[in-house]
Amino acid sequence: MKEKAPTVETRTDFARAGPPTAMHMHMPKQNPEFLLVETSPPVAARMRYRGGDKMACAYDLVEQMRYLYVSVVKAKDLPAMDVSGSLDPYVEVKLGNYKGKTKYLEKNQSPVWKQNFAFSKDRLQSNLLEVTVKDKDFVTKDDFVGRVFFDLSEVPLRVPPDSPLAPQWYRLEDKRRIKTRGEIMLAVWMGTQADESFPEAWHSDAHDISHTNLANTRSKVYFSPKLYYLRVQIIEAQDLIPSDKGRMLEVSVKVQLGNQGRVTRSLQTRTINPIWNDELMFVASEPFEDFIIVSVEDRIGPGKDEILGRVILSVRDIPERLETHKFPDPRWFNLFKPSLAQEEGEKKKEKFSSKILLRLCLDAGYHVLDEATHFSSDLQPSSKHLRKPSIGILELGILSARNLLPMKGKDGRTTDAYCAAKYGNKWVRTRTILNTLNPRWNEQYTWEVYDPCTVITLGVFDNCHINGSKDDSRDQRIGKVRIRLSTLETHRIYTHYYPLLVLTPSGLRKHGELHLALRFTCTAWVNMVTQYGKPLLPKMHYVQPISVKHIDWLRHQAMQIVAARLSRAEPPLRREVVEYMVDVDYHMWSLRRSKANFLRIMSLLSGITAACKWYNDICNWRNPITTCLVHVLLFILVCYPELILPTIFLYLFVIGLWNYRFRPRHPPHMDTRLSQADNAHPDELDEEFDSFPASRPSDIVRMRYDRLRSVAGRVQTVVGDLASQGERAQALLSWRDPRATAIFILFSLIWAVFIYVTPFQVVAVLVGLYLLRHPRFRSKMPAVPVNFFKRLPSKTDILL
């Protein structure tokens, strides 16, 4: 199938989107190699719009791929082949040079396999399908039992939503095509990737994969575990029994939930009834199989703690709290010594025990952040009772990739690529296409959308768990794509090649291009529009906010839980894949990213700079006609002040309407210029990719530290200057400089009287004429108010 010749469209719309005379900083254009390429693949949705295929198809965002399906169900009445009278049968499905095999079943003359095979129609090498039953022999060559032939020209075509094809019994034939003993139940048909047998089928492009590793190549859908914030409030303990009663206690409470551990503040006290009132938060996941271990510890020496008591609680028994409902009442729990806490019988023998007062609850009104807030894909609360209805559907077609980087240089410079996508709690993984740099997946997936201001993330990886790979090998990153849904037009089909850009210690690299088809369909327009006026996060995040420090720690724990859970699936979505998709190390220091953020701020301030330059040109009469028009506008607004706000909003409306012509035509993509990725210094990249703590030699770390001190010194100077301006404003009325404050308050009194006795319009005209006066009446020296403000005292002179 031929595609429309891809064209690169230069993103000039960004430059035009601002007000006239450059409301933007001049930035060099991106390398055309790093831009999106719009395509026109023959997907069914577009074919229908153009009057082509009228038949509805669930897979209308991908190219239709034809497959020959063979379903091997079972066999019966097979003859015994061994001397012992047993049979270890398996089925071999052969089409040209492609050969697939079922598992062999020991000593079974009526085996049941229930395995499916899929042969790509583009790779059909024969017109005859051969299905052979063989007997597994570990010593000599496998014995022939019988076979069945199918002519591909007579194979029926099945298109969903047709019901599955019913398998039929076929009598086996010997090598001379004569009917023999035994029958096999088969179903053979032509279908597409929309067939329900497609995900679990053995594919001809994975013909050399063993049965044990075949699962690692299949497409799958995963769901993240439902996460909750677990709140533990340690109030007090009573009747603690230390080993040395004459020593001052230094007690703290350690709470452990799975791999998460938190400790309260340490109290130095002589009483055996300490009070903490500390609150700790954890991340818990369904099905709540973990236990909370609460230990009261006494510091008896450097690095040495004595456990005064411990209690083990099940997360299942903790009450759930919705939104701002009242906290559950605190409960007293008995503390047991570690040796006694593990033995149920010993607990009953303990007549006296220390106690601890705890308040525990599962906060279901929060959204547990498991990815960075800037590109979050889900903002729903944990409780399903608090979730809002969906506003639309996101449909994604993962078509293909091209020019991928060879990741397996030792194996003939090939790549075994698969694509993963994440939106909300739903993860998808395509099947692995082996030994090609231009894989074609053509798989389509759907998500429900609850908030348009969310981001879908896709990543392409090289599968390193094929035959002969080690269990500890890691799937290699090829590239990543992010798309914000709010930048998409509804009901429009976007088909583009997205460059797979990866930042490496040696610089920016393009590892290929990913071909995607995307469509965002709105099903509730009113709900979608009202979403823009609602808070981004659930109500609990604003009524009872969690500190930023705790949010970052909890986010890290949530990422670890999700990664651990998905890595135990079959096939596993491995930890390195999950961590790359959710940017687990996004919070780490990067000089490159700091420069990018600084330039973002400067780009925003460039608008203010342009407005100040325009005002300065007006005041200096650079264009007398424009200055005269501004004078006329000033008189009109002074005479009719009720027109000020309508004029402002009308101006905003006209500017927005004008910029509609230059709106972005493509989804936004990774901006290498904005990211400072294409001209980053190698040492800065090496520092960014260094582990934490640093693993480089001490002289390199010292040099980087000195560089960081230099950059921080400049930032410190700018922050100090901003603080000085604010302190001077405060000094106007603080009497730190008594003469300056006296002058200011007398001036304020005179102005108050003058403005009171003078009409406001006259004051406004006089001030406007003074500010817009001709350069002939201006001095090059600073104005009196500026001189007065700069002479006010700041607190710089009292800093050590």
Side-chain angles (χ1 to χ4, degrees), residues 18-29:
T21 67
M23 271 285 284
H24 58 281
M25 294 184 65
H26 175 71
M27 295 289 291
K29 291 183 179 180

Side-chain angles (χ1 to χ4, degrees), residues 11 68 85 103 147 252 317 351 386 407 415 646 676 684 785:
R11 298 300 302 275
L68 172 66
K103 293 181 180 180
R147 62 187 175 187
S252 60
D317 301 330
K351 296 181 180 179
L386 302 176
M407 305 299 289
T415 296
Q676 295 291 296
E684 295 176 7

Side-chain angles (χ1 to χ4, degrees), residues 735-800:
W735 292 90
R736 287 196 63 213
D737 184 341
R739 285 166 294 280
T741 303
I743 293 172
F744 179 74
I745 62 175
L746 287 175
F747 180 78
S748 300
L749 177 63
I750 294 171
W751 261 98
V753 174
F754 175 75
I755 293 175
Y756 178 75
V757 300
T758 308
F760 174 76
Q761 287 87 347
V762 176
V763 175
V765 169
L766 292 177
V767 172
L769 292 176
Y770 174 77
L771 295 176
L772 299 175
R773 66 192 184 277
H774 196 274
R776 184 177 299 176
F777 303 106
R778 293 178 181 273
S779 171
K780 294 185 178 180
M781 302 301 291
V784 174
V786 175
N787 295 331
F788 180 79
F789 185 79
K790 287 185 176 180
R791 289 178 175 274
L792 291 171
S794 66
K795 296 181 181 180
T796 307
D797 52 338
I798 61 176
L799 287 176
L800 288 176

Side-chain angles (χ1 to χ4, degrees), residues 102-364:
T102 67
K103 293 181 180 180
Y104 74 91
L105 303 177
E106 294 184 3
K107 299 179 180 180
N108 194 332
Q109 292 180 262
S110 297
V112 178
W113 292 286
K114 292 185 178 179
Q115 285 187 240
N116 297 323
F117 299 82
F119 297 86
S120 175
K121 188 177 180 181
D122 296 338
R123 298 184 179 182
L124 295 184
Q125 300 176 337
S126 172
N127 293 325
L128 206 61
L129 173 69
E130 181 180 351
V131 181
T132 307
V133 180
K134 293 186 176 183
D135 174 37
K136 185 70 175 178
D137 197 324
F138 295 95
V139 179
T140 61
K141 185 179 179 181
D142 295 346
D143 297 325
F144 175 85
V145 177
R147 62 187 175 187
V148 179
F149 288 98
F150 292 90
D151 188 346
L152 297 189
S153 61
E154 299 179 1
V155 172
L157 175 66
R158 184 208 166 212
V159 179
D162 290 352
S163 299
L165 199 67
Q168 299 179 19
W169 287 103
Y170 295 89
R171 177 66 65 88
L172 296 177
E173 300 176 351
D174 60 15
K175 293 183 179 181
R176 293 174 297 176
R177 307 291 292 267
I178 300 174
K179 301 293 183 182
T180 184
R181 179 184 172 187
E183 290 182 282
I184 185 170
M185 179 179 278
L186 299 170
V188 182
W189 72 95
M190 295 294 297
T192 65
Q193 71 268 40
D195 200 293
E196 63 270 9
S197 301
F198 180 80
E200 296 296 332
W202 173 95
H203 288 270
S204 56
D205 52 13
H207 60 278
D208 55 348
I209 298 296
S210 65
H211 282 289
T212 55
N213 290 316
L214 186 61
N216 289 325
T217 66
R218 288 175 173 158
S219 58
K220 281 291 180 182
V221 176
Y222 309 83
F223 284 91
S224 301
K226 187 182 291 187
L227 304 177
Y228 293 80
Y229 284 140
L230 172 62
R231 192 185 299 266
V232 181
Q233 185 178 6
I234 295 96
I235 302 174
E236 62 174 316
Q238 289 188 1
D239 302 328
L240 297 180
I241 307 174
S243 57
D244 185 1
K245 298 183 179 180
R247 183 180 57 81
M248 177 180 289
L249 297 178
E250 187 177 347
V251 289
S252 60
V253 179
K254 181 179 180 181
V255 183
Q256 188 79 23
L257 176 63
N259 295 325
Q260 308 171 59
R262 302 293 299 275
V263 183
T264 65
R265 56 196 169 94
S266 183
L267 293 179
Q268 290 188 350
T269 178
R270 291 193 177 276
T271 179
I272 58 175
N273 303 321
I275 300 176
W276 290 277
N277 276 322
D278 281 1
E279 191 173 78
L280 307 177
M281 294 195 72
F282 302 86
V283 178
S285 63
E286 290 186 347
F288 301 136
E289 297 173 343
D290 294 328
F291 290 88
I292 307 171
I293 303 174
V294 182
S295 306
V296 181
E297 300 181 351
D298 178 25
R299 176 63 57 89
I300 59 178
K304 188 176 182 182
D305 296 325
E306 176 192 7
I307 298 179
L308 302 181
R310 175 181 292 171
V311 60
I312 301 176
L313 306 171
S314 174
V315 180
R316 294 179 186 271
D317 301 330
I318 297 177
E320 187 176 297
R321 184 171 76 107
L322 299 177
E323 288 197 335
T324 56
H325 293 176
K326 182 182 176 182
F327 281 103
D329 295 330
R331 292 176 54 194
W332 286 100
F333 296 92
N334 293 331
L335 293 172
F336 299 94
K337 292 293 184 180
S339 58
L340 298 178
Q342 298 174 1
E343 301 178 10
E344 195 69 25
E346 293 291 339
K347 288 183 182 181
K348 299 178 181 178
K349 297 178 183 179
E350 187 80 3
K351 296 181 180 179
F352 177 82
S353 63
S354 305
K355 295 183 180 296
I356 187 169
L357 184 61
L358 302 174
R359 178 184 280 121
L360 304 100
C361 66
L362 286 167
D363 279 324

Side-chain angles (χ1 to χ4, degrees), residues 86 175 349 421 427 602 626:
S86 63
K175 293 183 179 181
K349 297 178 183 179
W427 301 67
M602 295 304 297
T626 304

